[in-house]
Amino acid sequence: QVQLVESGGGLVRPGGSLRLSCAASGIIVSITTMGWYRQAPGKQRELVATIFGGSSTNYADSVKGRFTISRDNAKNTVFLQMNSLKPEDTAVYYCRVSTILSRNYWGQGTQVTVSS
């Protein structure tokens, strides 16, 4: 069965850093795009960053220069390095994986709270 296991969330003060990980298992076809989305309380889910293939990345304007997405294709794992965190980054972060057969899978979400 397909599983996306997220880790790395937590409580951090403004200006701090966190590194999120998402490991996918049970997917036997090639993965095309991996990405991170987030949903803050009372708001809609939004795209944070995606990575296609080995190096093609896309970021939301609000996180450019602060967040970095990367992937380990051999381990079907995607990472999100978050630096210079702001209170407005507080949200539940969700991992999404897309396959060559146009199937999408979502992680369970991990809470990131940025507060002083």
Side-chain angles (χ1 to χ4, degrees), residues 13 40 57 64-65 74 113-114:
R13 287 179 165 77
T57 59
K64 286 182 179 178
T113 302
V114 185

Side-chain angles (χ1 to χ4, degrees), residues 31-52:
I31 293 172
T32 54
T33 303
M34 307 184 83
W36 292 94
Y37 296 72
R38 67 186 182 186
Q39 187 167 19
K43 296 186 177 181
Q44 293 184 318
R45 190 172 299 185
E46 64 175 353
L47 182 146
V48 176
T50 61
I51 182 165
F52 175 78

Side-chain angles (χ1 to χ4, degrees), residues 13-16 62 66-67 83-90 114-115:
R13 287 179 165 77
S62 60
R66 300 189 297 120
F67 291 10
N83 299 326
S84 302
L85 283 162
K86 305 175 181 179
E88 48 263 47
D89 295 319
T90 296
V114 185
S115 177

Side-chain angles (χ1 to χ4, degrees), residues 4-20:
L4 274 63
V5 180
E6 301 180 30
S7 63
L11 174 64
V12 65
R13 287 179 165 77
S17 298
L18 286 173
R19 183 175 175 86
L20 305 183

Side-chain angles (χ1 to χ4, degrees), residues 4-6 21-24 34-37 45 78 93-97 105-110:
L4 274 63
V5 180
E6 301 180 30
S21 299
C22 174
M34 307 184 83
W36 292 94
Y37 296 72
R45 190 172 299 185
V78 62
Y93 284 69
Y94 297 90
C95 172
R96 192 185 82 162
V97 172
Y105 301 95
W106 290 88
Q108 81 284 356
T110 184

